[in-house]
Amino acid sequence: MTLFINGEPYELNVTNLQEVIAHFELQEGLVVTEVEGNIVDRSQWLETKVSDGMKIELVHFVGGG
């Protein structure tokens, strides 16, 4: 399916938001997610099903100076 992640189309074989995070190998504790304009709490990632054409924003925080 095609998902639009941070404005870019990606062809992914995933079923939920948890799998999207895993696909990009992001550290769960450092990511904020938004699906179709709604912030999704980390505790809901596994239950948040994704479907073709969904718009997802991933914000990954990194440390440094």
Side-chain angles (χ1 to χ4, degrees):
M1 80 176 75
T2 301
L3 297 174
F4 292 90
I5 299 174
N6 295 348
E8 298 292 326
Y10 289 88
E11 290 292 327
L12 301 180
N13 185 20
V14 295
T15 59
N16 59 52
L17 191 53
Q18 180 75 46
E19 292 175 355
V20 173
I21 301 301
H23 173 81
F24 289 102
E25 299 179 352
L26 301 174
Q27 291 183 350
E28 294 182 8
L30 301 177
V31 177
V32 174
T33 60
E34 181 183 286
V35 177
E36 300 292 354
N38 298 305
I39 301 291
V40 178
D41 187 80
R42 187 177 323 135
S43 66
Q44 301 298 310
W45 289 355
L46 190 61
E47 301 160 9
T48 302
K49 303 299 181 196
V50 294
S51 59
D52 192 49
M54 270 189 154
K55 295 176 183 164
I56 298 171
E57 297 291 327
L58 303 175
V59 178
H60 189 234
F61 297 97
V62 294

